[in-house]
Amino acid sequence: MKRITILFSLSALLCAVVLYGISVWKKNIPEVDVVSVKTVEYTESVIAGGEIISDGGIFYAEVLVPENRIASVKAGQKAVVSGNAFADNEYSATVEEISSTAVKRVVGTAQSTVIVVKVRLDEPDELVRTGCTAKARIFTAESRDVEVLPYEAIDVDNDGNEFVYVFNSGICVKKEIDTGVEFSGGVEVTDGLGYGDYVILSDSELSDGEYVSISEGE
C-alpha cells in the first residue's frame, strides 16, 4: 500500500512539473496577430493634370499624359475629372482626342515629353469654368479583383526577396511572395499565398519554424 502511495505521489509530482514546464513554455511563445488577404476591385488608370478648356460650348479637360503612359490611352475610354475649383465633385468624362504630336512641357520642376489629350466632360455644371486646373483619371483596362495585404505584414530578406510569415497550427512558416499594384494601405499579392492562409503581424522578430500563438480576441 505504501509503495502505491509513493508511486502515486511521484506521478502527481511529475505531472505538476510537466504542467509547470508547459505553462512556462507557453508564456515564452510570442503572441501575434493574423490577417488574411483582402480582395478589392482595381482598375488600371492613367492620371494626368491640365486645365479646363471650352470648344463650341463643350467643356474638356485638356491634360498632359507622359510619353511612357500614352500607349495605354485610347479614344473612347472612360475617365473621371476632378479639380480644386470643383469642391468634392467628380465628373464622368470620355477620352475624345489624342494629339498626334508629342511636346516638351515643364511638369512640376522638370521638363518632360508629354502628349496632349482632350477628355470631354459628360455633364459639367456651373462649377466648371475655362482655365480651371483639372486632373483626369483615365481608366485604361477593365476592373479586376486583386488580393491585398498591409505593408507591415511583408518583409524583405537579404537577397531582396519579399516574404511573409504564415500561421500554420501554431508554427510560423515563411513564404516568399510576389507583389504587384501598390495602394495607400497595402500592396497586391500576385503569388505565394494559398486559399485560407493567415499572415502573421508581429512587432517581434520571428523565424521560420518558430512556435507562436494568436493574440487574445483573434
Side-chain angles (χ1 to χ4, degrees), residues 58-63 73-81 91-98 117-124 136-139:
I58 299 174
F59 285 99
Y60 297 87
E62 188 175 73
V63 296
V73 177
K74 311 292 181 186
Q77 289 173 336
K78 296 300 180 182
V80 172
V81 174
Y91 302 91
S92 61
T94 306
V95 176
E96 187 162 289
E97 184 179 326
I98 302 171
V117 175
K118 289 174 66 176
V119 181
R120 176 173 51 82
L121 277 66
D122 296 334
E123 296 182 2
R137 179 186 292 273
I138 302 168
F139 301 109

Side-chain angles (χ1 to χ4, degrees), residues 164-175:
V164 297
Y165 286 117
V166 173
F167 183 86
N168 186 354
S169 301
I171 296 175
C172 178
V173 178
K174 180 180 177 180
K175 285 192 173 185

Side-chain angles (χ1 to χ4, degrees), residues 101-119:
T101 305
V103 295
K104 301 287 186 183
R105 296 283 177 88
V106 175
V107 179
T109 59
Q111 188 177 67
S112 301
T113 302
V114 298
I115 291 84
V116 177
V117 175
K118 289 174 66 176
V119 181

Side-chain angles (χ1 to χ4, degrees), residues 35-38 147-154 164 177 185-189 193 199:
V35 294
S36 55
V37 292
K38 181 180 179 181
E147 296 182 331
V148 176
L149 275 179
Y151 289 107
E152 58 267 28
I154 301 171
V164 297
I177 61 170
V187 62
E188 176 190 11
V189 178
L193 290 180
V199 177

